Amino acid sequence: MDPQQQRPGAPQHRPQPPAPGGGGDSSAVLFVLFGFLAIFALTMLPSTSLSILHQVPEGHVGVYWRGGALLKTITDPGFHLKLPLVTQFEPVQVTLQTDQVRDIPCGTKGGVMINFEKIEVVNRLRKEFVYETLLNYGVQYDNTWIYDKIHHEINQFCSSHSLQEVYIDVFDQIDEKMKEALQGDCTRYAPGIEIINVRVTKPAIPESIRRNFEQMEEERTKVLIAIERQRVVEKEAETKKKMAISEAEKNANVSKILMEQKLTEKDSSRRQAEIENQMYTAREKSLADADFYKVMREAEANKLKLTPQFLELKFIEAIADNTKIFFGDKVPNMVLDQRLLGNFLQVPKEVSKGANSESGAREDNPEVQFV
């Protein structure tokens, strides 16, 4: 008989199904989950001291301590690894940063208490001096060389100046004086700290003194307004003067131009007259030269003509033209050449015969007279 077969009516034995998952499988899952969480905590949470992976932000460098001792290792921005629980990490800014120092009380030389509400100091820690600066002054190096130093320098400045000087007269110089004081000490004791700029706000003074200053400023404003009005009047007068001078210069220039124009016209007329005179002189000179040449030529011709024969001919022609002729021995002074006259009187015999009769001669030539 098969033992697997049971008799009818006997109770049947049913096998129990195994428990789902089993004890060993659940413990493995929990172990893996715990390990994942531990790795995540060590790597992805940089703020915890147990983290392995950490991040250095841009503009900062990573500084590390091991067992409280500062390490010389300086890391650049990015992800880096470190030993958990053993190495501590701190980012240090090496770009420009502004530290605000607030509520700085000080007393002036006159004993008045004033308060600077805020002073801003723009500074930078040079990367090559990070280790030396943190080794000497710690991560909060700015407390020593900026915050505390500002309090000290402001009190020193106020104690050597009056309220009038601090609040009004030399207030514009406080920025530079604070910068020079901070940079001088930093250069001497902490060369890695560079002071870029210092901005000082107006200090708060007692209300009664502030009202006095306001009244003084109001009066000063009135004086400035009066001065400005006087300057405006002077400027207007100067402007009118310049306009008058400009107008006079313009008229003078116009007159000068007109005078130059007239002088040019006169000069042109003078040159024209000179040219005409030169032309007239040249023409007259040419005529005179021509007349002189003519006379000279005539003189030369007459000189050639002055021969005895020609003179005798002219004398005869002149005698022939006279209407009166005087004859006789009683005219010895007659301006005549007796020889020529004798030659001229050699007339035909008929004339000489008729001369014997006075009446007959007078009838032939009534102008002939005998003496």
Side-chain angles (χ1 to χ4, degrees):
M1 181 177 179
D2 188 0
Q4 297 297 332
Q5 295 180 356
Q6 296 179 359
R7 290 178 295 177
Q12 296 180 358
H13 177 72
R14 296 181 179 178
Q16 297 293 329
D25 295 337
S26 60
S27 60
V29 172
L30 292 176
F31 179 78
V32 172
L33 182 60
F34 178 77
F36 179 76
L37 292 176
I39 294 174
F40 178 80
L42 293 175
T43 57
M44 303 305 293
L45 298 178
S47 61
T48 62
S49 60
L50 300 177
S51 63
I52 298 176
L53 181 66
H54 62 281
Q55 180 185 6
V56 178
E58 188 65 41
H60 296 67
V61 294
V63 183
Y64 304 90
W65 288 263
R66 183 173 298 166
L70 179 65
L71 301 180
K72 293 185 178 181
T73 303
I74 305 295
T75 57
D76 294 327
F79 286 102
H80 302 277
L81 299 176
K82 68 180 183 64
L83 295 176
L85 298 176
V86 177
T87 303
Q88 287 78 34
F89 154 76
E90 187 72 29
V92 177
Q93 185 174 355
V94 292
T95 56
L96 293 180
Q97 58 181 343
T98 301
D99 294 330
Q100 295 183 355
V101 186
R102 296 183 177 275
D103 298 330
I104 309 172
C106 66
T108 63
K109 185 170 62 176
V112 180
M113 291 299 299
I114 61 177
N115 183 60
F116 288 87
E117 296 181 356
K118 181 177 66 173
I119 296 179
E120 296 180 345
V121 181
V122 182
N123 62 94
R124 177 177 59 188
L125 178 61
R126 298 167 62 179
K127 183 178 179 180
E128 58 271 20
F129 289 94
V130 169
Y131 175 78
E132 181 180 352
T133 303
L134 268 62
L135 181 65
N136 294 328
Y137 308 107
V139 179
Q140 304 300 328
Y141 63 89
D142 48 358
N143 287 336
T144 303
W145 293 111
I146 294 179
Y147 290 93
D148 297 342
K149 188 66 176 175
I150 283 291
H151 280 268
H152 173 73
E153 293 297 334
I154 285 293
N155 280 273
Q156 290 288 332
F157 181 82
C158 291
S159 62
S160 60
H161 294 81
S162 64
L163 179 61
Q164 173 72 22
E165 294 173 340
V166 174
Y167 194 71
I168 295 177
D169 296 341
V170 296
F171 176 76
D172 57 339
Q173 304 175 12
I174 299 178
D175 298 346
E176 290 298 326
K177 290 183 178 297
M178 292 299 104
K179 178 183 176 182
E180 292 175 359
L182 293 177
Q183 188 61 68
D185 288 344
C186 289
T187 303
R188 182 177 180 182
Y189 299 105
I193 303 175
E194 182 180 2
I195 306 300
I196 307 299
N197 195 11
V198 177
R199 295 187 292 267
V200 181
T201 58
K202 204 75 170 179
I205 61 178
E207 186 65 22
S208 60
I209 299 177
R210 186 183 63 81
R211 285 196 300 268
N212 293 335
F213 275 112
E214 289 179 353
Q215 291 178 359
M216 292 173 56
E217 191 65 26
E218 184 178 354
E219 296 298 328
R220 185 180 292 108
T221 303
K222 292 180 180 180
V223 173
L224 293 176
I225 291 174
I227 294 175
E228 289 300 324
R229 286 178 180 174
Q230 182 180 359
R231 289 181 180 177
V232 169
V233 173
E234 293 177 354
K235 185 63 69 175
E236 290 178 353
E238 185 179 357
T239 302
K240 292 180 180 179
K241 179 181 178 181
K242 288 183 178 179
M243 292 176 62
I245 294 174
S246 178
E247 186 70 20
E249 290 179 351
K250 184 186 72 174
N251 295 332
N253 291 331
V254 172
S255 300
K256 182 178 179 181
I257 293 173
L258 294 177
M259 183 61 68
E260 290 178 353
Q261 183 179 0
K262 291 181 180 180
L263 291 176
T264 303
E265 292 177 356
K266 292 294 184 181
D267 188 63
S268 299
S269 300
R270 179 181 61 80
R271 291 182 180 179
Q272 184 177 0
E274 289 179 354
I275 293 173
E276 291 177 354
N277 293 335
Q278 290 177 1
M279 293 174 61
Y280 177 77
T281 303
R283 183 171 62 252
E284 293 297 326
K285 184 177 180 181
S286 299
L287 294 175
D289 290 341
D291 292 339
F292 177 76
Y293 180 75
K294 179 181 178 181
V295 171
M296 291 297 296
R297 296 300 294 175
E298 288 179 353
E300 291 177 359
N302 292 332
K303 185 177 181 182
L304 294 176
K305 289 179 180 180
L306 290 178
T307 61
Q309 296 80 7
F310 181 76
L311 293 176
E312 185 178 358
L313 175 62
K314 288 296 180 180
F315 177 77
I316 295 172
E317 290 178 352
I319 292 299
D321 291 337
N322 290 330
T323 58
K324 292 181 180 181
I325 301 175
F326 296 90
F327 297 91
D329 297 332
K330 294 182 180 182
V331 193
N333 295 327
M334 182 180 180
V335 188
L336 293 171
D337 191 343
Q338 299 298 323
R339 183 178 56 82
L340 294 176
L341 182 60
N343 294 331
F344 178 74
L345 294 177
Q346 291 179 1
V347 296
K349 294 178 178 181
E350 293 81 5
V351 177
S352 61
K353 290 179 178 182
N356 294 328
S357 178
E358 183 179 355
S359 59
R362 289 178 180 177
E363 291 176 356
D364 295 335
N365 189 357
E367 297 296 330
V368 178
Q369 298 180 7
F370 294 90
V371 179

